[in-house]
Amino acid sequence: MGGDQSEGQGSKTNEVQKVEVSVKSSKGGSFGGFKEVREEEKGQMVGNVFSNVASNYDTMNILMSAGLHRLWKDRLVSKLNPFPGMNHLDVAGGTGDVAFRILDSINSIKRRALLNVLEDDLQEETKVYVCDTNPNMLSVGKNRALQRGRGEDKSLLWVEGDAEALSFGDNTMDGYKIAFGIRNVTHIEKALSEAYRVLKRGGRFLCLELSHVDVPVFKDFAVIHVINAPVCIGVHDLETFASMIADAGFQKVEYENLVGGVVAIHSGLKI
């Protein structure tokens, strides 16, 4: 399937698209706007921007969302409902922010309900793969893992990879999540197809993302967030993105509005 998709996209390499870019300067200011770039240049541009902001990325999210992004990510993990012994894939999660939450949730479940099971066995079986296309972001995540005492945690694995061409086998993951990352994917349909491919039957897809809204008070909030985002490519409205998830093969597709629909958690099941 991956080979066919790559061939199908090959004819579009010269396509020109508008990309919204905003970069923080070293003096605290920012500059931004729309820039037309060829499709083959887009990935490199996204990589360069994230390399520049990697060390401050989580701090930027805290400031941009007034700290609300922590609650949104907590909600994302609660909907994922991770259990020990499962494989979870955290795409575009280089800093580890969501992966740490997944492991904390799993460890909490161990303490509450699985005290009669050998913890070492559960630790060995549970895998959370943090996949990011940017090595600088992954480096930040690894350093944060060390600071949290997770440097030797065998359940936490760091993988440099592309959401559009994942290196994982078919039907290998129990859960797939991507938080504020789908907007930076060049071919969203291809990333969704890859998510469907790697998930097991019964596996769940979850995406936390900004959405296009028309309500003025919430639209202003979205504009502030998007303008300050490192790179933003194609934020879709709720119904359009839900349709794209269903077209990828997922069933029971739904979304939960947060902040009046400015942010939403989309979900789907592979049945």
Side-chain angles (χ1 to χ4, degrees):
M1 180 181 66
D4 293 340
Q5 289 174 328
S6 297
E7 183 178 350
Q9 297 295 345
S11 61
K12 297 182 180 180
T13 54
N14 291 322
E15 194 172 305
V16 175
Q17 297 182 12
K18 280 189 176 182
V19 179
E20 185 173 353
V21 182
S22 179
V23 181
K24 295 280 185 178
S25 73
S26 59
K27 296 182 180 180
S30 63
F31 58 93
F34 286 93
K35 178 182 180 181
E36 289 189 349
V37 296
R38 294 196 176 277
E39 202 170 80
E40 68 268 22
E41 299 171 352
K42 192 179 297 182
Q44 181 178 355
M45 188 193 69
V46 171
N48 290 341
V49 173
F50 275 97
S51 293
N52 290 332
V53 303
S55 61
N56 296 316
Y57 184 70
D58 285 336
T59 301
M60 287 168 59
N61 277 333
I62 293 172
L63 295 174
M64 287 186 288
S65 68
L68 290 175
H69 84 105
R70 292 168 171 163
L71 299 178
W72 301 336
K73 291 175 180 177
D74 287 344
R75 178 60 179 163
L76 180 72
V77 173
S78 71
K79 290 176 76 69
L80 182 64
N81 194 24
F83 276 88
M86 289 183 170
N87 292 330
H88 290 287
L89 179 58
D90 178 16
V91 177
T95 64
D97 204 28
V98 172
F100 299 143
R101 284 173 164 80
I102 293 173
L103 288 175
D104 287 343
S105 178
I106 290 172
N107 290 332
S108 179
I109 292 171
K110 287 181 189 177
R111 290 193 296 270
R112 291 198 314 266
L114 296 170
L115 294 177
N116 59 330
V117 180
L118 290 177
E119 193 163 313
D120 288 344
D121 291 341
L122 290 172
Q123 185 78 0
E124 195 68 29
E125 294 172 4
T126 303
K127 302 295 181 187
V128 179
Y129 297 87
V130 182
C131 179
D132 201 295
T133 189
N134 191 289
N136 290 35
M137 297 287 279
L138 288 169
S139 179
V140 170
K142 291 175 184 178
N143 288 334
R144 291 186 66 197
L146 287 171
Q147 294 169 5
R148 290 167 171 256
R150 294 191 182 277
E152 303 298 323
D153 194 334
K154 295 181 180 180
S155 294
L156 190 59
L157 298 99
W158 307 88
V159 180
E160 185 177 342
D162 188 348
E164 297 182 28
L166 295 171
S167 60
F168 306 95
D170 297 356
N171 309 305
T172 53
M173 297 293 161
D174 296 287
Y176 174 113
K177 88 83 227 152
I178 181 167
F180 301 121
I182 201 73
R183 57 186 171 177
N184 296 323
V185 172
T186 305
H187 306 106
I188 293 178
E189 295 87 351
K190 191 172 181 180
L192 293 173
S193 178
E194 279 290 272
Y196 186 86
R197 179 183 67 80
V198 300
L199 280 170
K200 300 176 182 178
R201 297 291 175 182
R204 192 169 195 188
F205 167 86
L206 285 166
C207 176
L208 173 65
E209 190 52 271
L210 293 167
S211 298
H212 174 77
V213 292
D214 294 319
V215 180
V217 63
F218 294 123
K219 189 173 183 179
D220 289 343
F221 180 92
V223 167
I224 292 171
H225 195 97
V226 171
I227 285 176
N228 286 278
V231 180
C232 182
I233 302 173
V235 178
H236 293 282
D237 65 83
L238 297 171
E239 292 295 337
T240 298
F241 188 49
S243 296
M244 293 172 70
I245 296 171
D247 288 344
F250 290 101
Q251 298 184 39
K252 297 187 177 180
V253 175
E254 59 185 18
Y255 54 82
E256 178 183 359
N257 285 327
L258 305 171
V259 198
V262 171
V263 178
I265 297 176
H266 290 261
S267 65
L269 290 175
K270 180 176 178 178
I271 297 178

